[in-house]
Amino acid sequence: MELSLVGVGHSYDRTDVLSDITLDIPGGRILCIVGPSGCGKSTLLRLIGGLERPSRGQILQTGRVPEGCLNPLTYVFQDFALLPWRTVEGNVRLALEDHRLPKGETDRIVTDVLSRTRLSDFRTALPRQLSGGMKQRVAIARALAVNPAVMLMDEPLSALDAQTRELLMDDLVALWLRAPFTAVYVTHNLTEAVRLGHRIVVLSRRPGRIAEVVDIKTDLAERRADDPDLVRHQSHLWDVMRDEARAADQELING
Ligand SMILES: Nc1ncnc2c1ncn2[C@@H]1O[C@H](COP(=O)(O)OP(=O)(O)OP(=O)(O)O)[C@@H](O)[C@H]1O
Ligand SMILES: [Mg+2]
């Protein structure tokens, strides 16, 4: 399934948060959205996910949802959003409970996503027994369980330390290489964006408009932190972001 945003804008009361966003979200690719704090990244994700209706413009869905898709637009949040009293397996099953699948099918899906996220040995663990990185792997397993058409990821690695972030980036790349999924991935972190994104969209300060779109051709499997192409992309993206972030700070100071 592909999504297209056409002239999308959004306002809360009288505050303009997003303006004139026209953007294609291609199937089977990871689209990263970066931009200064408060520029409307999470709002954009909520609009794409249908949690809010855009004040202006349209969000169009084309193409078919994948076979076995139980929830076309599925979120992964920064804070994992796990139920603390449920085991790893119980948290993943939660995503399937409303769908009345045959028991064997539910078991098959749970086993498959726990294996893909390397959590098979932790089925019976409770969230409090897990590291932050593992908790986020549970949240990712739960999202994958419904085979979404598009995963909407809001700073999924931001609550994790740098080393865990690295490992989770490797995990996400491995998951994508095994079964390419479509994702809109919001992050502050340009290292994540150039490591994971096929396309990177930089939003301007609020009201967020598209300041830059960069397509990265290097295969996800081939991306190395010191790759000159990626370093060049990252430094260019930072130039665009820095100008926007500085201007946003200045506006805050000046009221
Ligand atoms: N429900 C709401 N009602 C009113 N204003 C809101 C609401 N949600 C967000 N805003 C405002 O809209 C603007 C954009 O918020 P949003 O959370 O989308 O930005 P963001 O880019 O995700 O920020 P951050 O980088 O801090 O995560 C902010 O000024 C925020 O205060
Ligand atoms: Mg946000």
Side-chain angles (χ1 to χ4, degrees):
M1 187 175 90
E2 273 89 50
L3 295 174
S4 297
L5 283 66
V6 187
V8 168
H10 198 64
S11 312
Y12 292 114
D13 300 324
R14 251 170 266 144
T15 313
D16 262 351
V17 175
L18 289 167
S19 179
D20 200 21
I21 307 284
T22 294
L23 180 67
D24 287 332
I25 299 167
R29 294 278 182 272
I30 301 176
L31 176 109
C32 288
I33 296 178
V34 298
S37 290
C39 74
K41 302 180 293 298
S42 297
T43 301
L44 185 57
L45 220 49
R46 285 202 296 277
L47 297 176
I48 295 170
L51 297 184
E52 294 192 55
R53 281 173 61 89
S55 314
R56 297 172 293 283
Q58 283 182 302
I59 298 175
L60 308 170
Q61 294 184 3
T62 49
R64 291 183 356 176
V65 299
E67 203 174 324
C69 170
L70 300 172
N71 187 21
L73 302 164
T74 300
Y75 285 90
V76 175
F77 295 104
Q78 176 178 343
D79 64 1
F80 324 129
L82 302 180
L83 293 181
W85 59 87
R86 284 207 172 205
T87 62
V88 166
E89 178 174 340
N91 269 284
V92 174
R93 279 185 185 277
L94 188 65
L96 301 170
E97 273 171 8
D98 287 340
H99 296 286
R100 297 173 182 278
L101 299 172
K103 170 132 185 11
E105 179 64 1
T106 303
D107 292 347
R108 187 193 64 73
I109 293 172
V110 171
T111 301
D112 173 51
V113 295
L114 289 178
S115 146
R116 280 157 67 191
T117 50
R118 298 188 292 110
L119 288 166
S120 303
D121 292 344
F122 301 92
R123 289 179 97 110
T124 58
L126 288 166
R128 67 178 147 79
Q129 297 172 298
L130 304 177
S131 66
M134 289 168 84
K135 284 183 204 163
Q136 193 53 296
R137 295 209 322 260
V138 178
I140 291 166
R142 185 182 53 193
L144 291 171
V146 296
N147 199 19
V150 184
M151 282 224 275
L152 302 170
M153 309 181 85
D154 199 352
E155 309 216 26
L157 308 188
S158 295
L160 306 172
D161 61 80
Q163 192 181 325
T164 308
R165 264 203 311 269
E166 283 291 327
L167 296 174
L168 260 278
M169 281 193 266
D170 287 347
D171 287 341
L172 284 170
V173 168
L175 278 172
W176 189 89
L177 291 172
R178 183 166 164 169
F181 51 85
T182 311
V184 183
Y185 184 108
V186 166
T187 178
H188 273 101
N189 183 309
L190 291 176
T191 308
E192 282 172 41
V194 297
R195 179 81 164 278
L196 299 173
H198 296 93
R199 173 172 293 173
I200 301 170
V201 175
V202 185
L203 294 185
S204 71
R205 65 191 181 275
R206 201 185 74 204
R209 300 166 191 272
I210 293 180
E212 186 83 25
V213 179
V214 170
D215 285 319
I216 300 193
K217 300 277 183 300
T218 315
D219 285 350
L220 285 197
E222 308 293 322
R223 296 193 189 181
R224 304 278 169 270
D226 57 356
D227 181 300
D229 237 18
L230 295 189
V231 171
R232 188 174 53 76
H233 280 305
Q234 189 166 339
S235 122
H236 169 66
L237 289 163
W238 174 237
D239 285 343
V240 179
M241 271 255 289
R242 183 183 45 210
D243 291 349
E244 290 300 334
R246 288 232 170 96
D249 281 351
Q250 209 52 43
E251 281 166 9
L252 277 179
I253 292 165
N254 297 334

